[in-house]
Amino acid sequence: MAHHVLAILNQPSAEAAPHDADAAPFAFVDPSTPQLSVLDLGATRGDGIFETISVGSGRAQALEHHLRRFAGSAEKLELPAPDLDVWRAAILAAIAELQPGAESWVKTVLTRGVEGDGRPTGWVYATHTSDFTRVRTEGIRVVTLDRGYRHDVESTSPWLLAGAKTLSYAINRAVLREAKRRDADDVVFVSSDGFVLEGPTSTVIYRVGDRVLTPGTGLGILDGTTQANVFRYAESLGLSTGFELATPDQLRGADAAWLVSSVRLAAPVRQLDGQPVAVDAEFTAGLNEYLLGLRD
Amino acid sequence: MAHHVLAILNQPSAEAAPHDADAAPFAFVDPSTPQLSVLDLGATRGDGIFETISVGSGRAQALEHHLRRFAGSAEKLELPAPDLDVWRAAILAAIAELQPGAESWVKTVLTRGVEGDGRPTGWVYATHTSDFTRVRTEGIRVVTLDRGYRHDVESTSPWLLAGAKTLSYAINRAVLREAKRRDADDVVFVSSDGFVLEGPTSTVIYRVGDRVLTPGTGLGILDGTTQANVFRYAESLGLSTGFELATPDQLRGADAAWLVSSVRLAAPVRQLDGQPVAVDAEFTAGLNEYLLGLRD
């Protein structure tokens, strides 16, 4: 039992000899030693994809949704389709190796591999989670930042990879530094034509009266795995749910707003661009209890 | 003497003990063995920067310009400022270790390192170059593709890191696949408001009469190291040079156009979006001879 574990997947090359099929599909290695070539296109070009999956009580949360999105990202990047049975087995094996803890997460990564090699690189890494209790209750201060793209860029310019979860995340890290400079904790991206999109690592949810809403896919944003569960919870309370575009002003005027993600779960937005946003403490507590309970 | 060499830089941590200064500033390692952690933010988030420097006759081309741009990219990403004396020494040492060849290149990479470690990762990799003689003479077929950003995004939204040479290059690879689908060899990015920007790994140069032009910096594009030398060559012939915005139509109607970059040098554009573009074979040959000659 370890506090973090790493499994490297045995990826077939394009011209794999038939007997390669007999090789173990993945192997555990020491995560504290180097495993990657500096020539790997994941490292030199951010040319790969990933998923981060929450684990509670030894169970991977929304596993099939994550695997489906992983395969979708691979398709957008024209990477070899991941064998989801192998990835699922590696994820479950990694969780089993991990010392049981209250909350953990598993990351899956698939890169295009070493240039010219024709063999992708894949790994599964699992470790324990920081404690997010405080942000889940007290909420976060958020700033809106221009993402530079129009809201329809996913359909007009698919080569921009909007909507794929790629390793090219330098911008998603830069906006968090900008948020810190503005004395905030997180970011909501806004399209160049003024629509609310998503957070750098989260989906935006907002409530207007008895309607729980999210901008929805097709806007160059990710199909949120946690968002789907938030809608299930809202519907169980008799609220309606839907996909609706919003401006930052509409988000600020909502009856409540959250950034939701696999590991941090639902963080209520308590401030947007320096202005207070209503926090619904009771709904938030119930929602996070529901999301945590899904792991049991 | 090797056909490729790798030097890993000894990066000080934020809280480095003073005696760390006695450690060798870099060390050569076997480039065919893994050197990178899967937890390195360069690999998991494309959170780092790079330069690719051409080498001829054992000399690094435009070395000081590349180092200056490397430091500028680090600043844009708020990475620790690279010690350029150490990087220069590592680059020169790598070149000295490399088996002499007609043309080679050196890549410098600086990442934010393993998350939470506070110590960046740096390496210098050198190897031989493919033969670009054919594209330098016959030219390339290019398609224009929307980059999604307005031309002024570098000044309005610096968190988008436009103008920094980051490891988050998945889009720059995706557009080349799109070019291939359109039966072309390379790409010219166009801003969402219709201006010619740059190639995914090159600067656009075009000639109108006796004026040699390029879109120039401040448009979220890189300050081309080869472009500066192209202007020197043009001026030596009595041509004037300048920075001027162009539309794809203006580029197509130019008297000649090139994509220029450190390693491939000047590739004449012979087709843009399926339409022929004039090729000035004599100027191109003289230009590439000049650029190659700078390495002597």
Side-chain angles (χ1 to χ4, degrees), chain A residues 4 6 8 31 33-39 41-48 50 52 76-78 105 107 109 111-112 115 123 125 144-150 153 156-161 166-171 173-175 177-178 181-182 189 192 201, chain B residues 4 6 8 31 33-39 41-48 50 52 76-78 105 107 109 111-112 115 123 125 144-150 153 156-161 166-171 173-175 177-178 181-182 189 192 201:
Chain A
H4 66 165
L6 174 63
I8 304 284
T33 60
Q35 305 291 345
L36 262 189
S37 167
V38 296
L39 303 176
L41 289 161
T44 57
R45 301 287 185 182
D47 197 3
F50 75 102
T52 305
K76 283 191 167 81
L77 265 73
E78 298 171 65
W105 54 269
K107 176 178 253 189
V109 178
T111 84
R112 208 174 301 275
E115 190 152 15
W123 71 86
Y125 176 79
T144 56
L145 289 178
D146 172 29
R147 179 175 262 175
Y149 294 147
R150 294 180 315 274
V153 80
T156 63
S157 310
W159 50 83
L160 298 176
L161 306 177
T166 81
L167 300 177
S168 287
Y169 250 45
I171 290 172
R173 307 253 311 161
V175 294
R177 294 192 295 273
E178 179 67 21
R181 258 194 296 280
R182 299 185 185 197
F189 281 119
S192 60
T201 58
Chain B
H4 66 164
L6 173 64
I8 303 284
T33 61
Q35 305 291 344
L36 263 189
S37 166
V38 295
L39 302 176
L41 289 162
T44 57
R45 302 287 186 183
D47 197 4
F50 75 101
T52 305
K76 284 193 167 82
L77 266 72
E78 299 172 65
W105 54 269
K107 175 178 257 191
V109 178
T111 85
R112 209 175 300 275
E115 190 151 17
W123 72 85
Y125 176 79
T144 56
L145 290 179
D146 173 27
R147 178 177 262 175
Y149 294 149
R150 294 180 314 273
V153 81
T156 63
S157 312
W159 51 83
L160 297 176
L161 306 177
T166 82
L167 300 176
S168 287
Y169 251 45
I171 290 172
R173 306 250 315 159
V175 293
R177 293 192 295 273
E178 178 68 21
R181 258 193 297 278
R182 298 185 185 197
F189 281 120
S192 60
T201 58

Side-chain angles (χ1 to χ4, degrees), chain A residues 17-245:
Chain A
H19 65 80
D20 275 23
D22 294 339
F26 57 88
F28 286 103
V29 296
D30 180 358
S32 64
T33 60
Q35 305 291 345
L36 262 189
S37 167
V38 296
L39 303 176
D40 195 289
L41 289 161
T44 57
R45 301 287 185 182
D47 197 3
I49 58 170
F50 75 102
E51 286 290 323
T52 305
I53 305 163
S54 173
V55 180
S57 311
R59 277 186 50 191
Q61 176 68 15
L63 177 57
E64 297 309 314
H65 193 159
H66 279 290
L67 287 173
R68 203 161 57 237
R69 196 168 68 174
F70 195 54
S73 293
E75 200 180 336
K76 283 191 167 81
L77 265 73
E78 298 171 65
L79 286 162
D83 182 335
L84 296 187
D85 289 337
V86 170
W87 285 88
R88 189 184 297 105
I91 291 165
L92 298 179
I95 293 170
E97 287 292 315
L98 197 64
Q99 195 175 49
E103 293 182 46
S104 309
W105 54 269
V106 184
K107 176 178 253 189
T108 61
V109 178
L110 176 65
T111 84
R112 208 174 301 275
V114 169
E115 190 152 15
D117 191 44
R119 184 192 301 258
T121 302
W123 71 86
V124 171
Y125 176 79
T127 191
H128 292 154
T129 306
S130 334
D131 184 359
F132 289 112
T133 310
R134 210 171 64 86
V135 293
R136 287 174 193 157
T137 48
E138 295 184 10
I140 51 177
R141 299 160 305 166
V142 174
V143 289
T144 56
L145 289 178
D146 172 29
R147 179 175 262 175
Y149 294 147
R150 294 180 315 274
H151 79 281
D152 59 353
V153 80
E154 183 174 335
S155 52
T156 63
S157 310
W159 50 83
L160 298 176
L161 306 177
K165 201 167 171 75
T166 81
L167 300 177
S168 287
Y169 250 45
I171 290 172
N172 291 1
R173 307 253 311 161
V175 294
L176 292 179
R177 294 192 295 273
E178 179 67 21
K180 202 173 170 189
R181 258 194 296 280
R182 299 185 185 197
D183 199 28
D185 310 302
D186 210 331
V187 169
V188 164
F189 281 119
V190 176
S191 69
S192 60
D193 48 354
F195 295 107
V196 166
L197 297 173
E198 63 185 344
T201 58
S202 60
T203 307
V204 175
I205 308 268
Y206 58 107
R207 184 170 68 74
V208 179
D210 61 357
R211 301 166 66 223
V212 174
L213 303 166
T214 193
T217 56
L219 306 168
I221 70 182
L222 289 177
D223 167 27
T225 55
T226 306
Q227 170 263 313
N229 285 327
V230 173
F231 274 22
R232 272 180 211 113
Y233 176 69
E235 286 157 14
S236 77
L237 297 183
L239 298 166
S240 69
T241 57
F243 300 93
E244 215 161 272
L245 283 177

